[in-house]
Amino acid sequence: MADDDEYTLYAYSPNKVAPVLFAVIFALSTAYHVYQNIKYKSWKVTGALPWGGTCFVAGFVMREVSAYHPHDLGIFIASVVLLYVAPPVYALTNYITLGRTLYYIPYLSPIHPGRVVTTFIFLDIVIGAVTGHGAANASNQDNSPAKQATGHKLLKTSILLQVISFLAFILLEVFFHMRCLKAQILPPKAKENETAKKQSKKLQNVLNLMYVSGAIISCRHIYRTVETFQGFDGYLFSHEWPFYVFDGAFMAISSVGWNIWHPMRFLPTDNRVYLSKDGVTELLGPGWVDKRPFLLTLIDPFNIGGIFIRHEKDRFWEREHEHTKVGEEDVSQSSKEVV
């Protein structure tokens, strides 16, 4: 326990310097995210990053206040909740960015780009509901021991589901990456053309950013999973340094990474713009529209049912000659996008 004789909610004496350091780092990164969203007009893609960063700033500020008032339950809960909410916001940005990348290379996409966001957000909502129900049962001291135990099991289940869901997202990215390599869209197999090589490097930068961000978020999920399974008497809960490594340093690296390799430096703002199969020419097409009912797209994002029930799929990328080369006609930054 802490050295103080006063009652404390921590199993250690909380650091009073680290929260200030991380609050400043996230504040600077968040301010730059706002600037970049304005510069690249990318609120639809990376607009969640300032919100996630703000949650981190507020969470570490509350952590600092809590370090001076370790007995105050309200401040402690506020800090915990804000720091729990922030990482999923960064995960959301990964979903949207991969979806935008699939719009750019539609002929290699294993799933309708718009379904990446809806599918994984739907899974996150379900997992969030399980988490909330579990936390309510586990934290209510008026519940029976059996009901509290059920709450703890639900919490453990929700964290495991969170890990599995995000790993599934990473596997989807890897599958798309393999297709790009096979089609010689990415280095080192990019076509022997300087323009094609430049395009391939841009796409590789976006994929690398999502890999790094995804790996960091996955490590953080695993840390929280192990912490939950160990319980209050476990090493992770009773020592502070893992918290500042996984919730602090790792997530700060992720946030700054999005600043340095902002995806909209490399991808078009309009999701109707796609890269021709020649790996060089950008074309303005009609966009990829999923004509199936929305509920069906949630249940079957990969359109497996299309094997048995014929669904019309507009393979517009096979009609490149009908589409305008970007540069020949102004593509409005505010053009209506497809979903």
Side-chain angles (χ1 to χ4, degrees), residues 9-10 12 62-63 66 69-81 237:
L9 293 164
Y10 296 93
Y12 43 76
M62 296 307 293
R63 177 86 178 191
S66 182
H69 303 279
H71 58 283
D72 193 309
L73 182 61
I75 297 174
F76 177 82
I77 290 176
S79 171
V80 170
V81 169
F237 189 82

Side-chain angles (χ1 to χ4, degrees), residues 224-265:
R224 286 297 185 181
T225 302
V226 175
E227 181 189 52
T228 302
F229 274 85
Q230 286 184 346
F232 295 121
D233 297 325
Y235 180 87
L236 292 179
F237 189 82
S238 59
H239 293 76
E240 191 174 24
W241 73 263
F243 164 75
Y244 282 112
V245 169
F246 294 101
D247 264 349
F250 274 30
M251 293 308 301
I253 291 171
S254 177
S255 186
V256 173
W258 285 93
N259 290 133
I260 297 173
W261 294 284
H262 195 282
M264 300 316 289
R265 286 174 52 198

Side-chain angles (χ1 to χ4, degrees), residues 94-297:
N94 275 269
Y95 304 155
I96 298 173
T97 301
L98 179 58
R100 182 51 62 96
T101 307
L102 298 184
Y103 273 119
Y104 189 54
I105 317 286
Y107 42 88
L108 298 178
S109 175
I111 181 176
H112 183 285
R115 303 293 77 80
V116 175
V117 179
T118 55
T119 300
F120 286 100
I121 287 181
F122 174 73
L123 291 174
D124 282 353
I125 291 172
V126 172
I127 293 169
V130 174
T131 303
H133 189 59
N137 283 331
S139 61
N140 191 343
Q141 299 302 314
D142 294 331
N143 285 341
S144 65
K147 199 166 185 179
Q148 287 183 355
T150 300
H152 284 295
K153 289 178 181 177
L154 285 174
L155 279 174
K156 292 177 180 179
T157 301
S158 68
I159 293 175
L160 281 175
L161 288 174
Q162 197 172 46
V163 172
I164 293 170
S165 173
F166 202 75
L167 286 177
F169 168 77
I170 293 176
L171 286 175
L172 179 63
E173 182 184 352
V174 170
F175 185 59
F176 171 68
H177 193 166
M178 294 301 101
R179 283 188 165 187
C180 288
L181 287 174
K182 188 176 180 180
Q184 299 186 339
I185 295 293
L186 290 174
K189 295 183 178 181
K191 296 178 177 65
E192 293 299 324
N193 177 295
E194 284 304 315
T195 305
K197 287 180 179 179
K198 288 181 181 179
Q199 294 285 22
S200 70
K201 286 180 181 178
K202 288 181 180 180
L203 187 58
Q204 186 68 64
N205 284 335
V206 177
L207 293 175
N208 288 344
L209 171 65
M210 288 189 288
Y211 278 132
V212 173
S213 177
I216 287 173
I217 293 172
S218 296
C219 287
R220 189 261 178 190
H221 284 340
I222 293 170
Y223 153 65
R224 286 297 185 181
T225 302
V226 175
E227 181 189 52
T228 302
F229 274 85
Q230 286 184 346
F232 295 121
D233 297 325
Y235 180 87
L236 292 179
F237 189 82
S238 59
H239 293 76
E240 191 174 24
W241 73 263
F243 164 75
Y244 282 112
V245 169
F246 294 101
D247 264 349
F250 274 30
M251 293 308 301
I253 291 171
S254 177
S255 186
V256 173
W258 285 93
N259 290 133
I260 297 173
W261 294 284
H262 195 282
M264 300 316 289
R265 286 174 52 198
F266 313 112
L267 295 172
T269 303
D270 192 329
N271 67 4
R272 297 174 302 163
V273 174
Y274 70 98
L275 184 65
S276 167
K277 291 182 180 180
D278 63 13
V280 177
T281 312
E282 288 187 337
L283 301 170
L284 176 61
W288 191 349
V289 180
D290 192 340
K291 297 180 180 179
R292 296 179 298 155
F294 179 71
L295 184 59
L296 183 58
T297 66

